[in-house]
mmCIF file of all heavy atoms in Angstrom:
data_model
loop_
_atom_site.group_PDB
_atom_site.id
_atom_site.type_symbol
_atom_site.label_atom_id
_atom_site.label_comp_id
_atom_site.label_asym_id
_atom_site.label_seq_id
_atom_site.Cartn_x
_atom_site.Cartn_y
_atom_site.Cartn_z
ATOM 1 N N ILE A 186 7.075 8.697 4.730
ATOM 2 C CA ILE A 186 7.010 7.391 5.373
ATOM 3 C C ILE A 186 7.551 6.307 4.438
ATOM 4 O O ILE A 186 8.264 5.384 4.876
ATOM 5 C CB ILE A 186 5.573 7.081 5.824
ATOM 6 C CG1 ILE A 186 5.137 8.118 6.879
ATOM 7 C CG2 ILE A 186 5.456 5.665 6.379
ATOM 8 C CD1 ILE A 186 3.695 7.993 7.308
ATOM 9 N N VAL A 193 15.153 1.985 6.014
ATOM 10 C CA VAL A 193 15.360 1.110 7.170
ATOM 11 C C VAL A 193 15.476 -0.356 6.762
ATOM 12 O O VAL A 193 16.260 -1.114 7.330
ATOM 13 C CB VAL A 193 14.208 1.305 8.190
ATOM 14 C CG1 VAL A 193 14.222 0.204 9.245
ATOM 15 C CG2 VAL A 193 14.328 2.659 8.866
ATOM 16 N N LEU A 209 32.243 5.226 18.198
ATOM 17 C CA LEU A 209 32.632 6.272 19.152
ATOM 18 C C LEU A 209 31.394 6.840 19.846
ATOM 19 O O LEU A 209 31.423 7.123 21.058
ATOM 20 C CB LEU A 209 33.394 7.379 18.415
ATOM 21 C CG LEU A 209 34.092 8.434 19.284
ATOM 22 C CD1 LEU A 209 35.185 7.800 20.129
ATOM 23 C CD2 LEU A 209 34.689 9.539 18.407
ATOM 24 N N LEU A 231 14.846 5.569 38.379
ATOM 25 C CA LEU A 231 15.375 4.304 37.882
ATOM 26 C C LEU A 231 14.483 3.124 38.249
ATOM 27 O O LEU A 231 13.738 3.161 39.228
ATOM 28 C CB LEU A 231 16.779 4.059 38.442
ATOM 29 C CG LEU A 231 17.901 4.970 37.942
ATOM 30 C CD1 LEU A 231 19.202 4.644 38.662
ATOM 31 C CD2 LEU A 231 18.077 4.860 36.440
ATOM 32 N N GLY A 232 14.603 2.067 37.458
ATOM 33 C CA GLY A 232 13.890 0.830 37.747
ATOM 34 C C GLY A 232 12.594 0.727 36.970
ATOM 35 O O GLY A 232 12.278 1.559 36.112
ATOM 36 N N ALA A 236 6.155 -0.450 40.488
ATOM 37 C CA ALA A 236 6.960 -0.965 41.594
ATOM 38 C C ALA A 236 6.980 -2.495 41.583
ATOM 39 O O ALA A 236 5.935 -3.143 41.478
ATOM 40 C CB ALA A 236 6.411 -0.458 42.932
ATOM 41 N N ASP A 242 13.318 -12.982 32.992
ATOM 42 C CA ASP A 242 13.934 -13.159 31.684
ATOM 43 C C ASP A 242 14.246 -11.829 31.016
ATOM 44 O O ASP A 242 14.419 -11.744 29.804
ATOM 45 C CB ASP A 242 13.024 -13.976 30.766
ATOM 46 C CG ASP A 242 11.696 -13.274 30.480
ATOM 47 O OD1 ASP A 242 11.365 -12.297 31.203
ATOM 48 O OD2 ASP A 242 11.003 -13.685 29.529
ATOM 49 N N HIS A 378 11.012 25.286 29.376
ATOM 50 C CA HIS A 378 11.010 26.748 29.395
ATOM 51 C C HIS A 378 10.432 27.275 30.703
ATOM 52 O O HIS A 378 9.478 26.717 31.249
ATOM 53 C CB HIS A 378 10.201 27.290 28.217
ATOM 54 C CG HIS A 378 10.762 26.891 26.885
ATOM 55 N ND1 HIS A 378 11.807 27.559 26.292
ATOM 56 C CD2 HIS A 378 10.448 25.863 26.061
ATOM 57 C CE1 HIS A 378 12.101 26.965 25.129
ATOM 58 N NE2 HIS A 378 11.294 25.932 24.972
ATOM 59 N N ASP A 451 34.538 17.764 26.902
ATOM 60 C CA ASP A 451 35.001 17.813 28.288
ATOM 61 C C ASP A 451 33.999 18.401 29.274
ATOM 62 O O ASP A 451 34.187 18.284 30.470
ATOM 63 C CB ASP A 451 36.290 18.633 28.370
ATOM 64 C CG ASP A 451 37.522 17.745 28.335
ATOM 65 O OD1 ASP A 451 37.368 16.522 28.466
ATOM 66 O OD2 ASP A 451 38.626 18.274 28.173
ATOM 67 N N PHE A 456 24.033 22.447 23.894
ATOM 68 C CA PHE A 456 25.029 22.556 22.838
ATOM 69 C C PHE A 456 25.101 23.938 22.210
ATOM 70 O O PHE A 456 26.150 24.353 21.724
ATOM 71 C CB PHE A 456 24.786 21.501 21.745
ATOM 72 C CG PHE A 456 26.089 20.968 21.223
ATOM 73 C CD1 PHE A 456 26.594 19.767 21.681
ATOM 74 C CD2 PHE A 456 26.840 21.696 20.311
ATOM 75 C CE1 PHE A 456 27.822 19.294 21.228
ATOM 76 C CE2 PHE A 456 28.057 21.226 19.849
ATOM 77 C CZ PHE A 456 28.545 20.024 20.308
ATOM 78 N N ALA A 462 31.041 28.576 26.236
ATOM 79 C CA ALA A 462 31.811 28.077 27.372
ATOM 80 C C ALA A 462 33.302 28.059 27.037
ATOM 81 O O ALA A 462 34.137 28.479 27.854
ATOM 82 C CB ALA A 462 31.330 26.684 27.764
ATOM 83 N N GLU A 463 33.633 27.584 25.838
ATOM 84 C CA GLU A 463 35.045 27.560 25.419
ATOM 85 C C GLU A 463 35.633 28.966 25.400
ATOM 86 O O GLU A 463 36.766 29.189 25.840
ATOM 87 C CB GLU A 463 35.176 26.936 24.031
ATOM 88 C CG GLU A 463 35.628 25.496 24.034
ATOM 89 C CD GLU A 463 35.996 24.989 22.650
ATOM 90 O OE1 GLU A 463 35.090 24.508 21.948
ATOM 91 O OE2 GLU A 463 37.180 25.066 22.270
ATOM 92 N N TYR A 512 24.350 31.646 32.339
ATOM 93 C CA TYR A 512 24.901 30.878 33.459
ATOM 94 C C TYR A 512 26.122 30.084 33.011
ATOM 95 O O TYR A 512 27.137 30.033 33.721
ATOM 96 C CB TYR A 512 23.831 29.937 34.019
ATOM 97 C CG TYR A 512 24.208 29.329 35.359
ATOM 98 C CD1 TYR A 512 23.838 29.948 36.543
ATOM 99 C CD2 TYR A 512 24.954 28.146 35.432
ATOM 100 C CE1 TYR A 512 24.191 29.401 37.779
ATOM 101 C CE2 TYR A 512 25.308 27.599 36.650
ATOM 102 C CZ TYR A 512 24.924 28.229 37.820
ATOM 103 O OH TYR A 512 25.294 27.693 39.038
ATOM 104 N N GLU A 552 23.948 37.987 12.842
ATOM 105 C CA GLU A 552 23.226 37.383 11.721
ATOM 106 C C GLU A 552 24.091 36.398 10.936
ATOM 107 O O GLU A 552 23.577 35.398 10.409
ATOM 108 C CB GLU A 552 22.682 38.475 10.796
ATOM 109 C CG GLU A 552 21.561 39.291 11.435
ATOM 110 C CD GLU A 552 20.961 40.288 10.470
ATOM 111 O OE1 GLU A 552 21.409 40.352 9.299
ATOM 112 O OE2 GLU A 552 20.027 41.010 10.886
ATOM 113 N N ASP A 557 25.499 30.733 9.362
ATOM 114 C CA ASP A 557 26.469 29.638 9.407
ATOM 115 C C ASP A 557 25.926 28.436 10.169
ATOM 116 O O ASP A 557 26.300 27.294 9.893
ATOM 117 C CB ASP A 557 27.773 30.113 10.062
ATOM 118 C CG ASP A 557 28.513 31.123 9.200
ATOM 119 O OD1 ASP A 557 28.185 31.235 8.005
ATOM 120 O OD2 ASP A 557 29.406 31.806 9.733
ATOM 121 N N TYR A 558 25.041 28.694 11.114
ATOM 122 C CA TYR A 558 24.424 27.624 11.895
ATOM 123 C C TYR A 558 23.600 26.701 11.008
ATOM 124 O O TYR A 558 23.591 25.474 11.177
ATOM 125 C CB TYR A 558 23.546 28.265 12.968
ATOM 126 C CG TYR A 558 22.710 27.327 13.809
ATOM 127 C CD1 TYR A 558 23.245 26.694 14.922
ATOM 128 C CD2 TYR A 558 21.361 27.107 13.519
ATOM 129 C CE1 TYR A 558 22.468 25.856 15.711
ATOM 130 C CE2 TYR A 558 20.587 26.279 14.302
ATOM 131 C CZ TYR A 558 21.145 25.660 15.402
ATOM 132 O OH TYR A 558 20.368 24.828 16.175
ATOM 133 N N HIS A 591 32.789 19.063 16.978
ATOM 134 C CA HIS A 591 32.368 19.228 15.585
ATOM 135 C C HIS A 591 33.228 18.376 14.651
ATOM 136 O O HIS A 591 34.396 18.082 14.953
ATOM 137 C CB HIS A 591 32.483 20.714 15.216
ATOM 138 C CG HIS A 591 31.814 21.107 13.951
ATOM 139 N ND1 HIS A 591 32.392 20.909 12.717
ATOM 140 C CD2 HIS A 591 30.612 21.700 13.713
ATOM 141 C CE1 HIS A 591 31.588 21.370 11.775
ATOM 142 N NE2 HIS A 591 30.499 21.851 12.354
ATOM 143 N N ASN A 608 36.619 8.617 32.686
ATOM 144 C CA ASN A 608 36.167 9.379 33.857
ATOM 145 C C ASN A 608 34.731 9.033 34.228
ATOM 146 O O ASN A 608 34.391 8.904 35.417
ATOM 147 C CB ASN A 608 36.287 10.879 33.589
ATOM 148 C CG ASN A 608 37.723 11.360 33.546
ATOM 149 O OD1 ASN A 608 38.620 10.688 34.068
ATOM 150 N ND2 ASN A 608 37.960 12.496 32.916
ATOM 151 N N LEU A 610 33.131 6.203 33.583
ATOM 152 C CA LEU A 610 33.128 4.863 34.176
ATOM 153 C C LEU A 610 33.621 4.907 35.616
ATOM 154 O O LEU A 610 33.128 4.175 36.479
ATOM 155 C CB LEU A 610 34.009 3.918 33.357
ATOM 156 C CG LEU A 610 33.570 3.569 31.934
ATOM 157 C CD1 LEU A 610 34.561 2.595 31.313
ATOM 158 C CD2 LEU A 610 32.166 2.984 31.901
ATOM 159 N N PHE A 614 32.583 2.416 38.670
ATOM 160 C CA PHE A 614 33.349 1.171 38.656
ATOM 161 C C PHE A 614 34.752 1.371 39.221
ATOM 162 O O PHE A 614 35.295 2.486 39.208
ATOM 163 C CB PHE A 614 33.486 0.636 37.222
ATOM 164 C CG PHE A 614 32.192 0.238 36.574
ATOM 165 C CD1 PHE A 614 31.838 0.726 35.323
ATOM 166 C CD2 PHE A 614 31.315 -0.642 37.205
ATOM 167 C CE1 PHE A 614 30.654 0.350 34.701
ATOM 168 C CE2 PHE A 614 30.117 -1.017 36.602
ATOM 169 C CZ PHE A 614 29.785 -0.515 35.351
ATOM 170 N N GLU A 627 39.108 -1.768 22.585
ATOM 171 C CA GLU A 627 40.388 -1.723 21.865
ATOM 172 C C GLU A 627 40.497 -2.837 20.827
ATOM 173 O O GLU A 627 41.243 -2.701 19.857
ATOM 174 C CB GLU A 627 41.543 -1.795 22.868
ATOM 175 C CG GLU A 627 41.675 -0.512 23.690
ATOM 176 C CD GLU A 627 42.687 -0.626 24.807
ATOM 177 O OE1 GLU A 627 43.338 -1.694 24.911
ATOM 178 O OE2 GLU A 627 42.836 0.350 25.580
ATOM 179 N N ASP A 636 28.030 -10.593 20.724
ATOM 180 C CA ASP A 636 26.592 -10.586 20.952
ATOM 181 C C ASP A 636 26.243 -9.399 21.841
ATOM 182 O O ASP A 636 26.924 -9.119 22.834
ATOM 183 C CB ASP A 636 26.175 -11.892 21.627
ATOM 184 C CG ASP A 636 24.665 -12.055 21.686
ATOM 185 O OD1 ASP A 636 24.006 -11.234 22.364
ATOM 186 O OD2 ASP A 636 24.147 -13.001 21.068
ATOM 187 N N ILE A 637 25.170 -8.687 21.505
ATOM 188 C CA ILE A 637 24.812 -7.494 22.259
ATOM 189 C C ILE A 637 24.472 -7.824 23.715
ATOM 190 O O ILE A 637 24.662 -6.989 24.608
ATOM 191 C CB ILE A 637 23.652 -6.735 21.574
ATOM 192 C CG1 ILE A 637 23.531 -5.318 22.148
ATOM 193 C CG2 ILE A 637 22.342 -7.508 21.693
ATOM 194 C CD1 ILE A 637 24.764 -4.460 21.964
#
Side-chain angles (χ1 to χ4, degrees):
I186 297 175
V193 167
L209 190 64
L231 291 177
D242 63 345
H378 299 278
D451 264 349
F456 218 99
E463 259 191 272
Y512 193 92
E552 291 185 0
D557 292 345
Y558 174 84
H591 193 279
N608 289 340
L610 294 181
F614 296 128
E627 289 172 3
D636 190 296
I637 195 60

